[in-house]
Amino acid sequence: MAVQRAGLHRRAKHLVVMDADSTLLQDEVIDLLAEACGCVDEVSVITEAAMAGELDFGQSLTRRVALLAGLPEAVLGEVRARLRLAPGARTLLRTLQRLGYVPAVVSGGFVEVLAPLMEELGVRHLEANSLEIADGKLTGRLAAPIVDRAGKAQALRRFAEEVGVPLEQTVAVGDGANDIDMLSAAGLGIAFNAKPVVQEHADAALSVPYLDAVLYFLGISREEIEAE
């Protein structure tokens, strides 16, 4: 259940911003990279602490990326091919695009892995971290400022300005502690299969496997979803 302010804005153009790992995707990209690097246990411990809000996201990401030093660049393509969309993700994106809504992805993951998938899905707005690569290998460093908790909220505001919608007509969907600022800044923040600390900061919480359930919070009916 989500209690929302009534009005014409509910059926106006919206920007819908989603986290990638464990929201739009079933996977955590850095964990897949860690498998390829043979450091999955070390990375998983840091990831869990960060998602639960026990570690600063920026510091934890820096530590996890450092463990990937020396990984061949070609592995990025292999990981990209293994990514699994969340159940209902294609239905959500297809319906949003058909009805004139604008989907976007803001992720603590990596542009090098996510950008080709977003292009395939028709998602034109993407903000994510960039890995530093030298001589065909990951250096273990990031190539640009970290897209952290504050950075996600800033990206939401920037995309809203670019798309031309007010913040009250933005929707944010995420599962981790680094999504909290983004969920709070949006007109409607939806915690998707999220930790309790994230649900506390969201307007609504969805604890179901299917990402397209987000559509009902936009007032979109089953008939509209199933329409060709």
Side-chain angles (χ1 to χ4, degrees):
M1 179 181 295
V3 179
Q4 301 180 46
R5 187 180 300 277
L8 292 175
H9 77 277
R10 276 181 51 76
R11 298 311 303 269
K13 180 178 180 180
H14 280 69
L15 170 73
V16 183
V17 180
M18 292 159 280
D19 177 38
D21 294 4
S22 297
T23 299
L24 184 66
L25 306 174
Q26 296 183 51
D27 307 289
E28 292 281 337
V29 171
I30 197 161
D31 288 345
L32 297 180
L33 291 171
E35 287 181 23
C37 198
C39 59
V40 65
D41 291 338
E42 297 96 319
V43 166
S44 293
V45 168
I46 300 171
T47 298
E48 283 300 313
M51 294 298 286
E54 297 168 4
L55 279 178
D56 172 80
F57 178 79
Q59 292 177 338
S60 67
L61 181 63
T62 300
R63 286 170 54 187
R64 286 176 288 177
V65 170
L67 294 169
L68 304 178
L71 196 66
E73 182 179 5
V75 172
L76 298 175
E78 296 169 9
V79 166
R80 189 184 308 126
R82 293 178 58 192
L83 292 178
R84 301 168 298 165
L85 290 171
R90 288 188 184 276
T91 299
L92 171 64
L93 292 172
R94 182 174 63 249
T95 304
L96 291 174
Q97 291 161 339
R98 179 166 51 81
L99 295 179
Y101 294 67
V102 180
V105 170
V106 176
S107 174
F110 309 107
V111 170
E112 293 79 7
V113 175
L114 295 174
L117 177 60
M118 294 306 108
E119 183 175 356
E120 173 195 329
L121 294 171
V123 176
R124 297 184 176 86
H125 299 276
L126 169 66
E127 181 80 1
N129 290 297
S130 183
L131 295 163
E132 184 180 85
I133 299 170
D135 299 323
K137 294 183 178 180
L138 275 62
T139 66
R141 295 185 296 272
L142 293 164
I146 293 174
V147 180
D148 56 8
R149 177 168 160 170
K152 284 191 168 190
Q154 291 169 3
L156 179 143
R157 293 187 178 93
R158 186 176 73 255
F159 288 158
E161 185 174 345
E162 291 174 0
V163 171
V165 301
L167 277 179
E168 55 264 29
Q169 287 171 216
T170 63
V171 179
V173 188
D175 72 301
N178 63 322
D179 295 315
I180 288 175
D181 288 8
M182 179 175 75
L183 295 175
S184 298
L188 175 63
I190 302 173
F192 183 71
N193 294 325
K195 303 288 193 300
V197 66
V198 182
Q199 295 187 26
E200 292 171 5
H201 290 82
D203 299 301
L206 277 174
S207 297
V208 297
Y210 305 101
L211 188 61
D212 56 341
V214 166
L215 293 168
Y216 297 117
F217 286 159
L218 294 173
I220 297 171
S221 68
R222 170 55 62 183
E223 290 74 18
E224 289 174 298
I225 296 170
E226 293 177 348
E228 292 297 332

PDB file of all heavy atoms in Angstrom, residues 18-21 24-25 29 80 83 85 89-90 93 97 103-107 110-128:
ATOM      1  N   MET A  18      15.712   3.939 -11.440  1.00  0.00           N
ATOM      2  CA  MET A  18      15.914   2.663 -10.756  1.00  0.00           C
ATOM      3  C   MET A  18      17.379   2.417 -10.446  1.00  0.00           C
ATOM      4  O   MET A  18      18.257   2.786 -11.229  1.00  0.00           O
ATOM      5  CB  MET A  18      15.395   1.511 -11.628  1.00  0.00           C
ATOM      6  CG  MET A  18      13.893   1.485 -11.792  1.00  0.00           C
ATOM      7  SD  MET A  18      13.374   0.552 -13.260  1.00  0.00           S
ATOM      8  CE  MET A  18      13.651   1.786 -14.553  1.00  0.00           C
ATOM      9  N   ASP A  19      17.611   1.780  -9.320  1.00  0.00           N
ATOM     10  CA  ASP A  19      18.918   1.205  -9.040  1.00  0.00           C
ATOM     11  C   ASP A  19      19.091   0.014  -9.980  1.00  0.00           C
ATOM     12  O   ASP A  19      18.108  -0.511 -10.521  1.00  0.00           O
ATOM     13  CB  ASP A  19      18.960   0.774  -7.569  1.00  0.00           C
ATOM     14  CG  ASP A  19      20.257   0.086  -7.192  1.00  0.00           C
ATOM     15  OD1 ASP A  19      21.323   0.504  -7.677  1.00  0.00           O
ATOM     16  OD2 ASP A  19      20.205  -0.885  -6.413  1.00  0.00           O
ATOM     17  N   ALA A  20      20.313  -0.428 -10.184  1.00  0.00           N
ATOM     18  CA  ALA A  20      20.553  -1.575 -11.070  1.00  0.00           C
ATOM     19  C   ALA A  20      20.687  -2.874 -10.275  1.00  0.00           C
ATOM     20  O   ALA A  20      19.817  -3.739 -10.321  1.00  0.00           O
ATOM     21  CB  ALA A  20      21.788  -1.343 -11.923  1.00  0.00           C
ATOM     22  N   ASP A  21      21.770  -3.009  -9.506  1.00  0.00           N
ATOM     23  CA  ASP A  21      22.037  -4.268  -8.812  1.00  0.00           C
ATOM     24  C   ASP A  21      20.944  -4.593  -7.802  1.00  0.00           C
ATOM     25  O   ASP A  21      20.593  -3.776  -6.941  1.00  0.00           O
ATOM     26  CB  ASP A  21      23.381  -4.194  -8.080  1.00  0.00           C
ATOM     27  CG  ASP A  21      24.556  -4.086  -9.040  1.00  0.00           C
ATOM     28  OD1 ASP A  21      24.324  -3.987 -10.260  1.00  0.00           O
ATOM     29  OD2 ASP A  21      25.710  -4.084  -8.573  1.00  0.00           O
ATOM     30  N   LEU A  24      16.793  -3.547 -10.760  1.00  0.00           N
ATOM     31  CA  LEU A  24      16.538  -3.852 -12.163  1.00  0.00           C
ATOM     32  C   LEU A  24      17.157  -5.198 -12.544  1.00  0.00           C
ATOM     33  O   LEU A  24      16.646  -5.926 -13.388  1.00  0.00           O
ATOM     34  CB  LEU A  24      17.114  -2.744 -13.044  1.00  0.00           C
ATOM     35  CG  LEU A  24      16.855  -2.872 -14.542  1.00  0.00           C
ATOM     36  CD1 LEU A  24      15.366  -2.735 -14.862  1.00  0.00           C
ATOM     37  CD2 LEU A  24      17.659  -1.842 -15.328  1.00  0.00           C
ATOM     38  N   LEU A  25      18.264  -5.512 -11.904  1.00  0.00           N
ATOM     39  CA  LEU A  25      18.966  -6.778 -12.137  1.00  0.00           C
ATOM     40  C   LEU A  25      18.807  -7.712 -10.946  1.00  0.00           C
ATOM     41  O   LEU A  25      18.660  -7.266  -9.808  1.00  0.00           O
ATOM     42  CB  LEU A  25      20.459  -6.530 -12.363  1.00  0.00           C
ATOM     43  CG  LEU A  25      20.863  -5.543 -13.451  1.00  0.00           C
ATOM     44  CD1 LEU A  25      22.382  -5.328 -13.418  1.00  0.00           C
ATOM     45  CD2 LEU A  25      20.414  -6.040 -14.821  1.00  0.00           C
ATOM     46  N   VAL A  29      26.724  -6.793  -9.843  1.00  0.00           N
ATOM     47  CA  VAL A  29      27.761  -6.859 -10.863  1.00  0.00           C
ATOM     48  C   VAL A  29      29.139  -7.083 -10.255  1.00  0.00           C
ATOM     49  O   VAL A  29      29.930  -7.897 -10.748  1.00  0.00           O
ATOM     50  CB  VAL A  29      27.757  -5.580 -11.722  1.00  0.00           C
ATOM     51  CG1 VAL A  29      28.975  -5.541 -12.644  1.00  0.00           C
ATOM     52  CG2 VAL A  29      26.479  -5.492 -12.536  1.00  0.00           C
ATOM     53  N   ARG A  80      28.856  -9.075 -18.454  1.00  0.00           N
ATOM     54  CA  ARG A  80      27.684  -8.446 -19.069  1.00  0.00           C
ATOM     55  C   ARG A  80      26.743  -9.506 -19.643  1.00  0.00           C
ATOM     56  O   ARG A  80      25.520  -9.411 -19.512  1.00  0.00           O
ATOM     57  CB  ARG A  80      28.136  -7.495 -20.160  1.00  0.00           C
ATOM     58  CG  ARG A  80      27.044  -6.622 -20.744  1.00  0.00           C
ATOM     59  CD  ARG A  80      27.596  -5.794 -21.896  1.00  0.00           C
ATOM     60  NE  ARG A  80      28.795  -5.060 -21.513  1.00  0.00           N
ATOM     61  CZ  ARG A  80      29.953  -5.120 -22.155  1.00  0.00           C
ATOM     62  NH1 ARG A  80      30.089  -5.887 -23.224  1.00  0.00           N
ATOM     63  NH2 ARG A  80      30.996  -4.416 -21.744  1.00  0.00           N
ATOM     64  N   LEU A  83      24.408 -11.208 -16.973  1.00  0.00           N
ATOM     65  CA  LEU A  83      23.439 -10.434 -16.193  1.00  0.00           C
ATOM     66  C   LEU A  83      22.010 -10.910 -16.442  1.00  0.00           C
ATOM     67  O   LEU A  83      21.611 -11.172 -17.578  1.00  0.00           O
ATOM     68  CB  LEU A  83      23.541  -8.947 -16.555  1.00  0.00           C
ATOM     69  CG  LEU A  83      24.825  -8.229 -16.135  1.00  0.00           C
ATOM     70  CD1 LEU A  83      24.783  -6.780 -16.601  1.00  0.00           C
ATOM     71  CD2 LEU A  83      25.021  -8.295 -14.619  1.00  0.00           C
ATOM     72  N   LEU A  85      17.997  -9.894 -15.796  1.00  0.00           N
ATOM     73  CA  LEU A  85      17.046  -8.873 -15.398  1.00  0.00           C
ATOM     74  C   LEU A  85      16.110  -9.428 -14.320  1.00  0.00           C
ATOM     75  O   LEU A  85      15.832 -10.627 -14.278  1.00  0.00           O
ATOM     76  CB  LEU A  85      16.216  -8.423 -16.596  1.00  0.00           C
ATOM     77  CG  LEU A  85      16.957  -7.607 -17.658  1.00  0.00           C
ATOM     78  CD1 LEU A  85      16.067  -7.434 -18.876  1.00  0.00           C
ATOM     79  CD2 LEU A  85      17.387  -6.258 -17.107  1.00  0.00           C
ATOM     80  N   ALA A  89      11.038  -6.887 -15.195  1.00  0.00           N
ATOM     81  CA  ALA A  89      11.792  -5.693 -15.586  1.00  0.00           C
ATOM     82  C   ALA A  89      11.482  -5.273 -17.016  1.00  0.00           C
ATOM     83  O   ALA A  89      11.279  -4.084 -17.301  1.00  0.00           O
ATOM     84  CB  ALA A  89      13.287  -5.927 -15.412  1.00  0.00           C
ATOM     85  N   ARG A  90      11.444  -6.220 -17.946  1.00  0.00           N
ATOM     86  CA  ARG A  90      11.154  -5.873 -19.336  1.00  0.00           C
ATOM     87  C   ARG A  90       9.727  -5.344 -19.480  1.00  0.00           C
ATOM     88  O   ARG A  90       9.485  -4.398 -20.233  1.00  0.00           O
ATOM     89  CB  ARG A  90      11.372  -7.087 -20.246  1.00  0.00           C
ATOM     90  CG  ARG A  90      12.846  -7.442 -20.440  1.00  0.00           C
ATOM     91  CD  ARG A  90      13.032  -8.506 -21.497  1.00  0.00           C
ATOM     92  NE  ARG A  90      14.421  -8.914 -21.605  1.00  0.00           N
ATOM     93  CZ  ARG A  90      15.340  -8.293 -22.328  1.00  0.00           C
ATOM     94  NH1 ARG A  90      15.011  -7.219 -23.028  1.00  0.00           N
ATOM     95  NH2 ARG A  90      16.579  -8.739 -22.370  1.00  0.00           N
ATOM     96  N   LEU A  93       9.738  -1.683 -18.162  1.00  0.00           N
ATOM     97  CA  LEU A  93      10.360  -0.738 -19.090  1.00  0.00           C
ATOM     98  C   LEU A  93       9.521  -0.560 -20.343  1.00  0.00           C
ATOM     99  O   LEU A  93       9.322   0.566 -20.815  1.00  0.00           O
ATOM    100  CB  LEU A  93      11.772  -1.218 -19.451  1.00  0.00           C
ATOM    101  CG  LEU A  93      12.794  -1.184 -18.317  1.00  0.00           C
ATOM    102  CD1 LEU A  93      14.083  -1.856 -18.752  1.00  0.00           C
ATOM    103  CD2 LEU A  93      13.070   0.249 -17.869  1.00  0.00           C
ATOM    104  N   GLN A  97       7.797   3.086 -21.355  1.00  0.00           N
ATOM    105  CA  GLN A  97       8.165   3.730 -22.609  1.00  0.00           C
ATOM    106  C   GLN A  97       6.952   3.901 -23.525  1.00  0.00           C
ATOM    107  O   GLN A  97       6.792   4.942 -24.170  1.00  0.00           O
ATOM    108  CB  GLN A  97       9.267   2.911 -23.296  1.00  0.00           C
ATOM    109  CG  GLN A  97      10.597   2.976 -22.540  1.00  0.00           C
ATOM    110  CD  GLN A  97      11.548   1.846 -22.907  1.00  0.00           C
ATOM    111  OE1 GLN A  97      11.138   0.805 -23.417  1.00  0.00           O
ATOM    112  NE2 GLN A  97      12.830   2.040 -22.623  1.00  0.00           N
ATOM    113  N   PRO A 103      12.233   6.103 -18.298  1.00  0.00           N
ATOM    114  CA  PRO A 103      13.012   5.301 -17.367  1.00  0.00           C
ATOM    115  C   PRO A 103      14.462   5.748 -17.329  1.00  0.00           C
ATOM    116  O   PRO A 103      14.996   6.238 -18.331  1.00  0.00           O
ATOM    117  CB  PRO A 103      12.887   3.882 -17.942  1.00  0.00           C
ATOM    118  CG  PRO A 103      12.761   4.098 -19.414  1.00  0.00           C
ATOM    119  CD  PRO A 103      12.035   5.416 -19.596  1.00  0.00           C
ATOM    120  N   ALA A 104      15.088   5.586 -16.175  1.00  0.00           N
ATOM    121  CA  ALA A 104      16.508   5.921 -16.017  1.00  0.00           C
ATOM    122  C   ALA A 104      17.112   4.957 -15.014  1.00  0.00           C
ATOM    123  O   ALA A 104      16.402   4.370 -14.186  1.00  0.00           O
ATOM    124  CB  ALA A 104      16.672   7.360 -15.539  1.00  0.00           C
ATOM    125  N   VAL A 105      18.420   4.793 -15.081  1.00  0.00           N
ATOM    126  CA  VAL A 105      19.129   3.930 -14.137  1.00  0.00           C
ATOM    127  C   VAL A 105      20.264   4.720 -13.510  1.00  0.00           C
ATOM    128  O   VAL A 105      21.061   5.352 -14.208  1.00  0.00           O
ATOM    129  CB  VAL A 105      19.683   2.665 -14.838  1.00  0.00           C
ATOM    130  CG1 VAL A 105      20.615   1.899 -13.913  1.00  0.00           C
ATOM    131  CG2 VAL A 105      18.527   1.767 -15.280  1.00  0.00           C
ATOM    132  N   VAL A 106      20.308   4.705 -12.184  1.00  0.00           N
ATOM    133  CA  VAL A 106      21.388   5.334 -11.428  1.00  0.00           C
ATOM    134  C   VAL A 106      21.972   4.248 -10.540  1.00  0.00           C
ATOM    135  O   VAL A 106      21.272   3.718  -9.675  1.00  0.00           O
ATOM    136  CB  VAL A 106      20.875   6.522 -10.587  1.00  0.00           C
ATOM    137  CG1 VAL A 106      21.998   7.089  -9.743  1.00  0.00           C
ATOM    138  CG2 VAL A 106      20.297   7.597 -11.491  1.00  0.00           C
ATOM    139  N   SER A 107      23.233   3.913 -10.758  1.00  0.00           N
ATOM    140  CA  SER A 107      23.794   2.719 -10.129  1.00  0.00           C
ATOM    141  C   SER A 107      25.164   2.959  -9.522  1.00  0.00           C
ATOM    142  O   SER A 107      25.958   3.746 -10.047  1.00  0.00           O
ATOM    143  CB  SER A 107      23.897   1.606 -11.185  1.00  0.00           C
ATOM    144  OG  SER A 107      24.557   0.476 -10.667  1.00  0.00           O
ATOM    145  N   PHE A 110      28.847  -0.291 -12.669  1.00  0.00           N
ATOM    146  CA  PHE A 110      29.858   0.203 -13.595  1.00  0.00           C
ATOM    147  C   PHE A 110      29.327   0.415 -15.007  1.00  0.00           C
ATOM    148  O   PHE A 110      28.671  -0.456 -15.581  1.00  0.00           O
ATOM    149  CB  PHE A 110      31.035  -0.774 -13.618  1.00  0.00           C
ATOM    150  CG  PHE A 110      31.540  -1.089 -12.241  1.00  0.00           C
ATOM    151  CD1 PHE A 110      31.301  -2.328 -11.664  1.00  0.00           C
ATOM    152  CD2 PHE A 110      32.203  -0.121 -11.489  1.00  0.00           C
ATOM    153  CE1 PHE A 110      31.735  -2.609 -10.379  1.00  0.00           C
ATOM    154  CE2 PHE A 110      32.632  -0.393 -10.202  1.00  0.00           C
ATOM    155  CZ  PHE A 110      32.398  -1.642  -9.639  1.00  0.00           C
ATOM    156  N   VAL A 111      29.643   1.576 -15.564  1.00  0.00           N
ATOM    157  CA  VAL A 111      29.205   1.950 -16.904  1.00  0.00           C
ATOM    158  C   VAL A 111      29.639   0.913 -17.932  1.00  0.00           C
ATOM    159  O   VAL A 111      28.880   0.560 -18.846  1.00  0.00           O
ATOM    160  CB  VAL A 111      29.783   3.336 -17.282  1.00  0.00           C
ATOM    161  CG1 VAL A 111      29.548   3.637 -18.757  1.00  0.00           C
ATOM    162  CG2 VAL A 111      29.167   4.422 -16.419  1.00  0.00           C
ATOM    163  N   GLU A 112      30.859   0.418 -17.782  1.00  0.00           N
ATOM    164  CA  GLU A 112      31.408  -0.510 -18.772  1.00  0.00           C
ATOM    165  C   GLU A 112      30.571  -1.774 -18.915  1.00  0.00           C
ATOM    166  O   GLU A 112      30.540  -2.395 -19.983  1.00  0.00           O
ATOM    167  CB  GLU A 112      32.848  -0.882 -18.403  1.00  0.00           C
ATOM    168  CG  GLU A 112      33.838   0.258 -18.488  1.00  0.00           C
ATOM    169  CD  GLU A 112      33.796   1.205 -17.284  1.00  0.00           C
ATOM    170  OE1 GLU A 112      33.084   0.909 -16.304  1.00  0.00           O
ATOM    171  OE2 GLU A 112      34.477   2.234 -17.340  1.00  0.00           O
ATOM    172  N   VAL A 113      29.905  -2.173 -17.855  1.00  0.00           N
ATOM    173  CA  VAL A 113      29.050  -3.364 -17.881  1.00  0.00           C
ATOM    174  C   VAL A 113      27.616  -2.996 -18.222  1.00  0.00           C
ATOM    175  O   VAL A 113      26.941  -3.695 -18.989  1.00  0.00           O
ATOM    176  CB  VAL A 113      29.113  -4.102 -16.522  1.00  0.00           C
ATOM    177  CG1 VAL A 113      28.140  -5.276 -16.500  1.00  0.00           C
ATOM    178  CG2 VAL A 113      30.527  -4.588 -16.245  1.00  0.00           C
ATOM    179  N   LEU A 114      27.127  -1.892 -17.671  1.00  0.00           N
ATOM    180  CA  LEU A 114      25.708  -1.563 -17.776  1.00  0.00           C
ATOM    181  C   LEU A 114      25.313  -0.864 -19.076  1.00  0.00           C
ATOM    182  O   LEU A 114      24.198  -1.059 -19.572  1.00  0.00           O
ATOM    183  CB  LEU A 114      25.300  -0.683 -16.596  1.00  0.00           C
ATOM    184  CG  LEU A 114      25.369  -1.329 -15.213  1.00  0.00           C
ATOM    185  CD1 LEU A 114      25.081  -0.275 -14.135  1.00  0.00           C
ATOM    186  CD2 LEU A 114      24.391  -2.484 -15.110  1.00  0.00           C
ATOM    187  N   ALA A 115      26.189  -0.034 -19.633  1.00  0.00           N
ATOM    188  CA  ALA A 115      25.809   0.791 -20.778  1.00  0.00           C
ATOM    189  C   ALA A 115      25.293  -0.014 -21.978  1.00  0.00           C
ATOM    190  O   ALA A 115      24.250   0.342 -22.556  1.00  0.00           O
ATOM    191  CB  ALA A 115      26.973   1.690 -21.196  1.00  0.00           C
ATOM    192  N   PRO A 116      25.960  -1.098 -22.383  1.00  0.00           N
ATOM    193  CA  PRO A 116      25.428  -1.859 -23.522  1.00  0.00           C
ATOM    194  C   PRO A 116      24.053  -2.456 -23.245  1.00  0.00           C
ATOM    195  O   PRO A 116      23.199  -2.489 -24.138  1.00  0.00           O
ATOM    196  CB  PRO A 116      26.483  -2.962 -23.726  1.00  0.00           C
ATOM    197  CG  PRO A 116      27.736  -2.396 -23.150  1.00  0.00           C
ATOM    198  CD  PRO A 116      27.283  -1.621 -21.952  1.00  0.00           C
ATOM    199  N   LEU A 117      23.818  -2.898 -22.018  1.00  0.00           N
ATOM    200  CA  LEU A 117      22.504  -3.443 -21.671  1.00  0.00           C
ATOM    201  C   LEU A 117      21.436  -2.360 -21.697  1.00  0.00           C
ATOM    202  O   LEU A 117      20.316  -2.573 -22.184  1.00  0.00           O
ATOM    203  CB  LEU A 117      22.561  -4.101 -20.290  1.00  0.00           C
ATOM    204  CG  LEU A 117      21.234  -4.650 -19.752  1.00  0.00           C
ATOM    205  CD1 LEU A 117      20.661  -5.712 -20.683  1.00  0.00           C
ATOM    206  CD2 LEU A 117      21.415  -5.203 -18.348  1.00  0.00           C
ATOM    207  N   MET A 118      21.760  -1.171 -21.178  1.00  0.00           N
ATOM    208  CA  MET A 118      20.791  -0.077 -21.188  1.00  0.00           C
ATOM    209  C   MET A 118      20.448   0.327 -22.616  1.00  0.00           C
ATOM    210  O   MET A 118      19.296   0.637 -22.932  1.00  0.00           O
ATOM    211  CB  MET A 118      21.340   1.129 -20.420  1.00  0.00           C
ATOM    212  CG  MET A 118      21.529   0.896 -18.936  1.00  0.00           C
ATOM    213  SD  MET A 118      20.058   0.305 -18.077  1.00  0.00           S
ATOM    214  CE  MET A 118      20.523  -1.410 -17.765  1.00  0.00           C
ATOM    215  N   GLU A 119      21.427   0.315 -23.498  1.00  0.00           N
ATOM    216  CA  GLU A 119      21.174   0.646 -24.907  1.00  0.00           C
ATOM    217  C   GLU A 119      20.208  -0.366 -25.518  1.00  0.00           C
ATOM    218  O   GLU A 119      19.275  -0.002 -26.245  1.00  0.00           O
ATOM    219  CB  GLU A 119      22.488   0.657 -25.685  1.00  0.00           C
ATOM    220  CG  GLU A 119      22.328   1.068 -27.141  1.00  0.00           C
ATOM    221  CD  GLU A 119      23.657   1.196 -27.865  1.00  0.00           C
ATOM    222  OE1 GLU A 119      24.707   1.043 -27.222  1.00  0.00           O
ATOM    223  OE2 GLU A 119      23.627   1.450 -29.081  1.00  0.00           O
ATOM    224  N   GLU A 120      20.416  -1.637 -25.187  1.00  0.00           N
ATOM    225  CA  GLU A 120      19.531  -2.693 -25.686  1.00  0.00           C
ATOM    226  C   GLU A 120      18.098  -2.500 -25.177  1.00  0.00           C
ATOM    227  O   GLU A 120      17.124  -2.729 -25.904  1.00  0.00           O
ATOM    228  CB  GLU A 120      20.056  -4.063 -25.225  1.00  0.00           C
ATOM    229  CG  GLU A 120      19.132  -5.229 -25.549  1.00  0.00           C
ATOM    230  CD  GLU A 120      19.501  -6.485 -24.776  1.00  0.00           C
ATOM    231  OE1 GLU A 120      20.701  -6.682 -24.479  1.00  0.00           O
ATOM    232  OE2 GLU A 120      18.577  -7.252 -24.456  1.00  0.00           O
ATOM    233  N   LEU A 121      17.974  -2.045 -23.926  1.00  0.00           N
ATOM    234  CA  LEU A 121      16.662  -1.881 -23.301  1.00  0.00           C
ATOM    235  C   LEU A 121      16.004  -0.544 -23.642  1.00  0.00           C
ATOM    236  O   LEU A 121      14.860  -0.301 -23.263  1.00  0.00           O
ATOM    237  CB  LEU A 121      16.794  -2.009 -21.781  1.00  0.00           C
ATOM    238  CG  LEU A 121      17.215  -3.378 -21.252  1.00  0.00           C
ATOM    239  CD1 LEU A 121      17.527  -3.287 -19.762  1.00  0.00           C
ATOM    240  CD2 LEU A 121      16.140  -4.426 -21.526  1.00  0.00           C
ATOM    241  N   GLY A 122      16.723   0.337 -24.323  1.00  0.00           N
ATOM    242  CA  GLY A 122      16.168   1.633 -24.677  1.00  0.00           C
ATOM    243  C   GLY A 122      16.176   2.637 -23.546  1.00  0.00           C
ATOM    244  O   GLY A 122      15.423   3.621 -23.582  1.00  0.00           O
ATOM    245  N   VAL A 123      17.017   2.414 -22.548  1.00  0.00           N
ATOM    246  CA  VAL A 123      17.142   3.341 -21.418  1.00  0.00           C
ATOM    247  C   VAL A 123      18.247   4.345 -21.763  1.00  0.00           C
ATOM    248  O   VAL A 123      19.418   3.978 -21.849  1.00  0.00           O
ATOM    249  CB  VAL A 123      17.473   2.596 -20.113  1.00  0.00           C
ATOM    250  CG1 VAL A 123      17.690   3.588 -18.969  1.00  0.00           C
ATOM    251  CG2 VAL A 123      16.358   1.621 -19.763  1.00  0.00           C
ATOM    252  N   ARG A 124      17.858   5.611 -21.940  1.00  0.00           N
ATOM    253  CA  ARG A 124      18.813   6.613 -22.425  1.00  0.00           C
ATOM    254  C   ARG A 124      19.511   7.384 -21.314  1.00  0.00           C
ATOM    255  O   ARG A 124      20.468   8.111 -21.571  1.00  0.00           O
ATOM    256  CB  ARG A 124      18.095   7.592 -23.367  1.00  0.00           C
ATOM    257  CG  ARG A 124      17.549   6.936 -24.622  1.00  0.00           C
ATOM    258  CD  ARG A 124      16.939   7.957 -25.574  1.00  0.00           C
ATOM    259  NE  ARG A 124      16.500   7.357 -26.812  1.00  0.00           N
ATOM    260  CZ  ARG A 124      15.311   6.784 -26.999  1.00  0.00           C
ATOM    261  NH1 ARG A 124      14.453   6.757 -25.998  1.00  0.00           N
ATOM    262  NH2 ARG A 124      14.989   6.266 -28.156  1.00  0.00           N
ATOM    263  N   HIS A 125      19.037   7.247 -20.101  1.00  0.00           N
ATOM    264  CA  HIS A 125      19.620   7.983 -18.980  1.00  0.00           C
ATOM    265  C   HIS A 125      20.274   6.993 -18.018  1.00  0.00           C
ATOM    266  O   HIS A 125      19.599   6.181 -17.393  1.00  0.00           O
ATOM    267  CB  HIS A 125      18.553   8.800 -18.257  1.00  0.00           C
ATOM    268  CG  HIS A 125      17.889   9.820 -19.138  1.00  0.00           C
ATOM    269  ND1 HIS A 125      18.434  11.065 -19.369  1.00  0.00           N
ATOM    270  CD2 HIS A 125      16.747   9.770 -19.853  1.00  0.00           C
ATOM    271  CE1 HIS A 125      17.645  11.745 -20.181  1.00  0.00           C
ATOM    272  NE2 HIS A 125      16.621  10.983 -20.491  1.00  0.00           N
ATOM    273  N   LEU A 126      21.593   7.061 -17.920  1.00  0.00           N
ATOM    274  CA  LEU A 126      22.360   6.162 -17.065  1.00  0.00           C
ATOM    275  C   LEU A 126      23.447   6.932 -16.344  1.00  0.00           C
ATOM    276  O   LEU A 126      24.188   7.698 -16.958  1.00  0.00           O
ATOM    277  CB  LEU A 126      23.000   5.036 -17.894  1.00  0.00           C
ATOM    278  CG  LEU A 126      24.042   4.157 -17.174  1.00  0.00           C
ATOM    279  CD1 LEU A 126      23.389   3.346 -16.058  1.00  0.00           C
ATOM    280  CD2 LEU A 126      24.762   3.247 -18.170  1.00  0.00           C
ATOM    281  N   GLU A 127      23.549   6.720 -15.050  1.00  0.00           N
ATOM    282  CA  GLU A 127      24.652   7.257 -14.253  1.00  0.00           C
ATOM    283  C   GLU A 127      25.225   6.105 -13.443  1.00  0.00           C
ATOM    284  O   GLU A 127      24.499   5.408 -12.720  1.00  0.00           O
ATOM    285  CB  GLU A 127      24.154   8.360 -13.314  1.00  0.00           C
ATOM    286  CG  GLU A 127      25.232   8.987 -12.460  1.00  0.00           C
ATOM    287  CD  GLU A 127      26.055  10.030 -13.212  1.00  0.00           C
ATOM    288  OE1 GLU A 127      25.766  10.273 -14.403  1.00  0.00           O
ATOM    289  OE2 GLU A 127      26.975  10.604 -12.621  1.00  0.00           O
ATOM    290  N   ALA A 128      26.522   5.857 -13.589  1.00  0.00           N
ATOM    291  CA  ALA A 128      27.171   4.758 -12.873  1.00  0.00           C
ATOM    292  C   ALA A 128      28.660   5.050 -12.760  1.00  0.00           C
ATOM    293  O   ALA A 128      29.166   6.017 -13.346  1.00  0.00           O
ATOM    294  CB  ALA A 128      26.942   3.421 -13.592  1.00  0.00           C
TER     295      ALA A 128
END
